[in-house]
Amino acid sequence: MTSLKTGPSTPGLHLIYIPAVCALIAFQAYYSQYLFSSDPDLAPGPLTGRDSLTFNTLVACLWWTYYRACTVDPGRYIFPPSPTSSPPDPIASSNTLKPTRWCKKCAAPKPLRAHHCRHCRRCIPKMDHHCPWTGNCVSMQTFPHFLRFLLYTNFSLWYLASLLWQRVAAIWADRHLPAYLGPSLHSLVGLTLLSLANGATILALGILLYTTVKGWVFNSTMIEDWEVERHEAVLARMDSEDGYFWGDDDATLRELLEKIEFPYDLGVFANMAQAMGTRNPLRWFLPVFGGGPVINNETPGKGTGWEWEENGFNDLPGLWPPPDPEKVRQARRGAWPGAAGQQEDRYDTYQTPEEVKAAFAKRQEEDFLRRQRAQAQQAHQRSGIVAELEKWDDLGGTEVAKPWANSDGDRLWDYGVDEAVEEEIIPARKDDEDVPLAELIRRRKVRSRGEDD
Ligand SMILES: [Zn+2]
Ligand SMILES: [Zn+2]
């Protein structure tokens, strides 16, 4: 399944995915019709007018929805412009306020449900996964188009399957007749190739449709399903009293890691309406007029794409995703500089891409040095076998020590997420300032209005 969702690992190979999909659609949609009409011995003959109209209408919807799934913008967050010439961080301009998640590459707070896509090179609202077959992110804005594409593809494939089946059954029924009375060799080979291609795509796209509809009904993205699985694994591990895994951080980690319910499942209809951006089910499925939610950049921090309704099963909103113990542990060792270090590096303080790049490189270097210092200090304080184990552990990686993989072997990387920048600021305790982004932006706005007066 990994390759279906995630595409080739070889860079550059992604360029052939869209032409390959187009070739596969054209082969099944048009070569089939050519074959049916060109061989008079291929019973029951060319498509009837009704069959032809139905099939070609479905295929036209397929082409259109595929075009939309490939080209609709997955969304871009626009953060409020800074009021002064030396812009403060949009959120964390005082010690009491801090974002819970931060994107190092965008140098901006990361709204809930957003992830940084390494292909789209920005934080994507409600990122589901980056789809190699459309060369686009499946996100809050593109999900309806992706779903409609899968629906019309599956309808077209099943319709073609029934047409192919009629012809294969006719050949089977006449199997005792002399061969020269039946269809030509070319037709037999063509019919076989079409049936194989049809069967394989029905299987693959049937699975993809199933997982997509499941995510739609439960209001969870592929990435969030992965997070749910990781959270369950972490909780199970916590119960198993695995001393080595938790090491010295045991006590603090245990305090931080409590069971968090998946908060976005609001009920079937509410979930489906939210994902499609309308409560009118007719508009969910219309290929041309069917729309989708669009991020609200008019009042950043408010509304669609920034705020997500929660079901209230947790005692506070904004707790998802649950912390990754590896990242928390790294953060506690000094790998993560904290919000204060980010403030001078807001992207809009730089004029050219080179400056941005240079600043990013500098930040990386600083992070690295900080991490080295922290590690050296720790190694100095420890001794014996514990120090050896810790050192071994630290050698495992720099940005992300041990990326967790789910039961399919998928890491976040496989969904297109840039894991290196997916860092969490140490989650605050419940009684601390654990405030969701929208609330932080709201507070800052109130504060800056007060300063202006
Ligand atoms: Zn980002
Ligand atoms: Zn993407």
Side-chain angles (χ1 to χ4, degrees):
M1 274 308 295
T2 300
S3 59
L4 240 188
K5 283 181 299 212
T6 59
S9 49
T10 320
L13 211 59
H14 65 274
L15 292 173
I16 66 162
Y17 264 56
I18 290 176
V21 171
C22 292
L24 195 63
I25 297 172
F27 174 66
Q28 296 197 50
Y30 304 121
Y31 177 67
S32 59
Q33 297 189 63
Y34 162 76
L35 196 69
F36 300 160
S37 60
S38 65
D39 187 347
D41 295 320
L42 193 61
L47 295 188
T48 63
R50 212 178 117 225
D51 275 347
S52 176
L53 183 67
T54 312
F55 186 50
N56 285 300
T57 306
L58 285 175
V59 171
C61 294
L62 190 177
W63 280 121
W64 174 252
T65 51
Y66 183 53
Y67 170 72
R68 298 288 284 163
C70 293
T71 56
V72 167
D73 191 304
R76 182 186 295 276
Y77 287 108
I78 299 174
F79 286 87
S82 307
T84 58
S85 55
S86 56
D89 182 276
I91 312 283
S93 51
S94 94
N95 288 333
T96 52
L97 293 177
K98 57 186 190 308
T100 50
R101 298 165 76 226
W102 185 270
C103 178
K104 281 163 112 183
K105 282 219 171 130
C106 299
K110 185 157 30 189
L112 292 168
R113 305 192 88 178
H115 293 275
H116 190 94
C117 175
R118 68 177 195 274
H119 304 284
C120 302
R121 292 157 192 246
R122 62 176 186 268
C123 280
I124 301 288
K126 195 189 166 195
M127 178 174 169
D128 191 285
H129 69 290
H130 188 94
C131 175
W133 304 102
T134 57
N136 200 3
C137 251
V138 179
S139 72
M140 180 191 80
Q141 290 192 183
T142 54
F143 179 87
H145 303 282
F146 187 71
L147 178 68
R148 283 190 284 268
F149 159 59
L150 288 179
L151 279 175
Y152 287 104
T153 308
N154 276 277
F155 290 154
S156 308
L157 285 166
W158 294 332
Y159 203 81
L160 176 62
S162 75
L163 299 174
L164 289 168
W165 177 249
Q166 288 170 9
R167 279 137 188 99
V168 172
I171 293 171
W172 182 251
D174 291 343
R175 65 190 179 282
H176 301 302
L177 294 180
Y180 75 91
L181 290 175
S184 67
L185 184 63
H186 168 251
S187 299
L188 290 176
V189 171
L191 206 58
T192 307
L193 290 177
L194 279 168
S195 303
L196 289 174
N198 186 251
T201 26
I202 280 183
L203 185 70
L205 288 179
I207 293 169
L208 209 51
L209 179 66
Y210 170 77
T211 51
T212 306
V213 168
K214 201 170 131 225
W216 183 30
V217 168
F218 287 92
N219 199 352
S220 75
T221 63
M222 277 190 189
I223 290 171
E224 285 163 349
D225 286 341
W226 182 95
E227 288 168 345
V228 168
E229 210 180 322
R230 182 186 69 188
H231 187 47
E232 283 167 359
V234 165
L235 293 176
R237 200 155 188 179
M238 193 157 73
D239 289 340
S240 76
E241 308 280 338
D242 187 336
Y244 164 63
F245 180 75
W246 299 100
D248 285 0
D249 299 317
D250 190 66
T252 32
L253 280 170
R254 271 166 198 270
E255 273 179 55
L256 287 167
L257 295 169
E258 56 191 343
K259 184 160 175 53
I260 296 173
E261 298 293 337
F262 182 71
Y264 303 120
D265 183 356
L266 308 169
V268 175
F269 183 80
N271 292 344
M272 293 165 93
Q274 187 197 69
M276 304 309 271
T278 164
R279 298 180 71 82
N280 176 2
L282 282 179
R283 292 201 58 217
W284 296 353
F285 302 109
L286 289 175
V288 178
F289 299 105
V294 176
I295 192 167
N296 169 38
N297 278 321
E298 303 264 304
T299 46
K302 281 268 161 216
T304 315
W306 301 81
E307 295 173 301
W308 295 97
E309 196 185 330
E310 298 200 10
N311 53 26
F313 289 169
N314 296 315
D315 40 6
L316 273 177
L319 291 182
W320 197 267
D324 177 348
E326 278 304 331
K327 285 182 181 169
V328 172
R329 198 152 75 153
Q330 279 189 330
R332 290 201 172 271
R333 286 176 184 178
W336 179 246
Q342 306 296 327
Q343 287 186 27
E344 70 268 32
D345 286 337
R346 283 272 294 149
Y347 59 93
D348 54 8
T349 61
Y350 305 111
Q351 302 303 315
T352 66
E354 285 72 29
E355 280 177 22
V356 175
K357 254 188 253 167
F360 182 68
K362 182 173 147 250
R363 203 162 58 230
Q364 270 190 324
E365 200 187 308
E366 284 170 1
D367 282 0
F368 181 71
L369 288 174
R370 202 176 287 114
R371 206 158 37 228
Q372 272 198 328
R373 267 202 302 279
Q375 284 173 4
Q377 214 175 7
Q378 300 236 343
H380 187 69
Q381 287 164 358
R382 289 158 206 267
S383 59
I385 189 75
V386 177
E388 283 306 309
L389 280 173
E390 294 281 339
K391 227 165 46 191
W392 184 253
D393 198 22
D394 287 338
L395 287 173
T398 49
E399 290 289 343
V400 178
K402 277 187 212 155
W404 186 81
N406 71 1
S407 53
D408 289 338
D410 289 340
R411 297 160 42 191
L412 268 187
W413 175 265
D414 294 313
Y415 302 105
V417 173
D418 195 336
E419 282 174 307
V421 298
E422 284 272 314
E423 297 233 17
E424 294 148 47
I425 290 171
I426 304 170
R429 293 287 309 282
K430 261 199 211 164
D431 42 349
D432 289 350
E433 290 283 339
D434 197 352
V435 197
L437 178 71
E439 172 65 4
L440 293 169
I441 290 181
R442 192 191 62 78
R443 285 194 200 180
R444 179 177 173 271
K445 283 187 139 183
V446 170
R447 218 174 38 244
S448 67
R449 260 203 303 278
E451 282 160 16
D452 288 348
D453 292 343

